[in-house]
């Protein structure tokens, strides 16, 4: 799925230049919250897999000031 998502992001990002028509593509990220040790273990595994596919990943803690990384998080 990661490769499909990467391909789709590249495709949509280049459509306006290729076609000359605005497509409204906005490159955004995501924020996933782990509230238990088990969920955090899974998120660490997911992050490792994402990094393997060259996807930028940051794991932050509440003490790491998530509001600075994702302002909507405060």
């Amino acid at each position: 799925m990661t490769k499909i998502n990467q391909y789709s992001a590249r495709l949509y990002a280049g459509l306006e230049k290729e076609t000359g028509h605005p497509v409204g593509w906005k490159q955004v990220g995501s924020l996933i919250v782990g509230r238990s040790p088990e969920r955090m273990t899974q998120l660490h595994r997911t992050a490792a897999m994402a990094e393997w596919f060259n996807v930028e990943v940051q794991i932050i803690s509440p003490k790491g000031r998530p509001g600075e990384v994702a302002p909507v998080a405060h």
Side-chain angles (χ1 to χ4, degrees), residues 21-38:
H21 297 284
V23 295
W25 171 255
K26 303 266 189 255
Q27 181 71 41
V28 299
S30 64
L31 177 67
I32 302 171
V33 177
R35 296 182 56 179
S36 70
E38 294 82 9

Side-chain angles (χ1 to χ4, degrees), residues 29-57:
S30 64
L31 177 67
I32 302 171
V33 177
R35 296 182 56 179
S36 70
E38 294 82 9
R39 182 65 174 141
M40 288 306 300
T41 297
Q42 180 60 42
L43 289 176
H44 280 277
R45 290 179 184 147
T46 301
M49 181 63 75
E51 288 174 341
W52 193 80
F53 283 100
N54 296 317
V55 174
E56 181 183 348
V57 176

